[in-house]
Each structure stands twice: as structure tokens, then as C-alpha cells.
Amino acid sequence: MSDNNNNKERSSDESSNNARIKHFADASFLFAFNDDNDDENEGETNYEEIRALSKRMKALGCTKVTESFALKTNDATHVVCRSEEEYNSLWEESQNDADSFFELVHDDEKRAPPVKCTFEFARRSVEEKKVLDVHSNILFRPPKTSEKILKGLKICQTSYTGPRRNDVKSLIERLGAEYSKPFDKTCTHLCCYQFEGKKYEKAVSDGTTIVSHAWLEACYVSGEKVDASRYMRSGEEEDRLAQEKDVVPDSEAEEEQEEEE
């Protein structure tokens, strides 16, 4: 089987684990952070935060919480990490790689690989007292790299509301850009949900690059500063297009076949 097919199989196994586990009583968490990179991740998750969250997980019935990668065990259902890149680097000095370590066969049954997730995923799961779906929010999935790929940019947002607004802010900061509440001439980008309002009008007048959350998400997933010109639709339009992709169109041919059967 090709490496590409192997990757698809592992992804499918991980998704099944994600869908199966909804309660902390069925989960086992491993915090896999590289302590050597603490200086590079100043201001992000520290060990005190991990210990505090670990206690709350155990209080909710979590079967096992391993607070250090040095104490790793292969029965983890969820691995909390900063990025895919850092997760892979943790195995460089190990005799096993991640796949062979977690996919050991027991009683003729191969264990599904753990779900890779972020500290934000673990924190919100604890807040809601249930293990959330890692695919329900892009901030729940580790980015490809921990590098601040948008460093040097100053990004403002407009017309995003509620928790979505907080998520956009978090995404901007996690990518290394400076977040600005007010919009002024020093802003390099304006992230818009709707093409309306004073900030939007000012950005158009100033010739500021206008993007949506879709651009930020593309940068997050790819680990690169992607071409913003491909993401100049409003966030509202991006949401509508995403919903359309999930809709199965009506098929008269299928209906006729069902009637015949």
C-alpha cells in the first residue's frame, strides 16, 4: 500500500476514535509538548496550566491523564500538542515513531491512533464537561507548524460576533500577526464577515487587503502564508459556500429508482 493510502487509513482510524469518544470516562489524554521550545512559545501553555487542566479532567472521570511526553503511554486516545511539526519532532530520539508506538496490536486488534488536538480543545471540552468533536472548530486541531507565519502583519476584524469573533482573534494571534481592535492606516489586513460598515469602507478607501476567516484558516492548515487574493470573499459568502458543499442535491433519478424498488 502506498504512503498516501497509509496516511488516509490512519486519518480514517483517527476520525473513528474522534467520533466514538464523547465522555471523559472513555478518554485518556497525553500532553505532548516539547519543553525545549518553551522560549519560542512564551505566553502560550505552560506546565502549571497543564496540571490545573489535568486535575479538572480527572474530576470529570478521565481514565488517565499523562502530563509529560517523557511519561508517554500507548493507550492515549487524545494527544495534546502545539503543532503537527512539533509532535513529529518529539519522536526523533525515540526507537519508535508515533504510528508504530500507538498502533500496537493487542489481542489481534489494532488500536486506532489517538486524536491529535490542541490545548484549546482540551480546555473547552472540560468547560463543556464532555469530549468535543475535534473537527467542530479549526482551533481544536494542531496547525502544521508552530512558526509565526504571519509575523509582521497587523490585522483587524469586523462584523464577526460572539464566540466566532474570539476565535478569529485567537487565530490571528496564533499565526503571529498583531491583532488590532481599531482599524487604522497601520493595519495590513481587514478580516470581514460582511462587506459593510465603517471599517470596511475605510479599508476599501485605503486600499487595505480585505480577507475573511477562510484565509486565516488556510494559512493555519498549510503552515504557509498563502496568497490572500484567493480569499477575498466575505466570511458570510465563505460560510454559504461551505454549507453548499455539505448539501446532497435532489436527484429525480434516485427517486424513480426507489419507487421501482
Side-chain angles (χ1 to χ4, degrees):
M1 186 179 289
S2 69
D3 288 341
N4 189 44
N5 285 337
N6 280 328
N7 288 336
K8 287 181 179 179
E9 182 179 304
R10 286 193 292 269
S11 177
S12 176
D13 288 342
E14 182 179 328
S15 295
S16 68
N17 224 357
N18 175 59
R20 180 177 63 83
I21 298 173
K22 301 297 182 185
H23 305 288
F24 278 101
D26 301 320
S28 173
F29 280 78
L30 165 64
F31 287 86
F33 290 164
N34 189 344
D35 295 335
D36 294 337
N37 290 342
D38 280 349
D39 292 339
E40 297 177 13
N41 296 283
E42 187 177 354
E44 295 186 10
T45 309
N46 57 43
Y47 186 62
E48 287 72 24
E49 290 176 302
I50 291 173
R51 291 204 68 182
L53 191 64
S54 172
K55 289 180 181 178
R56 295 177 67 187
M57 286 179 166
K58 291 174 182 176
L60 290 169
C62 192
T63 56
K64 189 173 187 178
V65 183
T66 305
E67 299 172 4
S68 171
F69 180 76
L71 304 174
K72 62 183 181 295
T73 57
N74 59 19
D75 59 354
T77 61
H78 292 74
V79 175
V80 184
C81 52
R82 291 191 183 99
S83 69
E84 293 272 359
E85 184 178 74
E86 183 177 274
Y87 173 79
N88 292 332
S89 73
L90 291 168
W91 299 90
E92 290 178 356
E93 303 300 324
S94 175
Q95 293 181 344
N96 302 96
D97 61 16
D99 296 329
S100 62
F101 182 79
F102 286 114
E103 295 183 13
L104 294 178
V105 175
H106 291 269
D107 299 327
D108 296 325
E109 182 178 349
K110 186 174 75 171
R111 179 187 295 118
V115 177
K116 290 190 283 291
C117 56
T118 61
F119 188 86
E120 181 68 9
F121 167 83
R123 184 183 67 79
R124 292 201 199 178
S125 290
V126 166
E127 286 180 353
E128 297 196 25
K129 296 181 172 58
K130 63 180 180 180
V131 180
L132 300 174
D133 180 354
V134 76
H135 299 296
S136 62
N137 188 316
I138 194 167
L139 291 170
F140 292 171
R141 305 192 298 277
K144 188 171 183 179
T145 177
S146 298
E147 291 183 20
K148 306 301 185 183
I149 57 178
L150 297 187
K151 187 176 182 180
L153 302 184
K154 185 176 180 180
I155 305 175
C156 179
Q157 66 168 313
T158 185
S159 57
Y160 287 89
T161 60
R164 189 78 174 278
R165 184 175 183 84
N166 293 331
D167 286 347
V168 170
K169 177 179 182 293
S170 295
L171 202 51
I172 290 170
E173 293 175 336
R174 191 169 296 186
L175 289 166
E178 178 185 351
Y179 176 74
S180 177
K181 283 185 177 180
F183 178 80
D184 58 36
K185 62 183 179 181
T186 65
C187 292
T188 60
H189 294 70
L190 180 65
C191 185
C192 293
Y193 188 71
Q194 295 175 321
F195 287 161
E196 61 184 29
K198 292 182 179 179
K199 287 182 179 179
Y200 171 71
E201 292 171 0
K202 177 65 173 171
V204 171
S205 175
D206 291 351
T208 304
T209 301
I210 297 173
V211 294
S212 74
H213 63 275
W215 176 65
L216 297 172
E217 291 177 356
C219 293
Y220 185 86
V221 171
S222 68
E224 300 176 351
K225 181 183 176 183
V226 302
D227 184 1
S229 66
R230 296 166 51 198
Y231 296 91
M232 290 187 171
R233 289 187 288 261
S234 69
E236 187 175 43
E237 177 69 4
E238 291 287 358
D239 279 353
R240 184 184 65 79
L241 292 172
Q243 288 176 356
E244 288 179 355
K245 289 180 181 178
D246 290 334
V247 175
V248 178
D250 186 25
S251 171
E252 292 182 2
E254 287 182 0
E255 289 181 358
E256 290 174 359
Q257 184 176 359
E258 288 175 0
E259 289 176 0
E260 290 177 0
E261 293 175 350

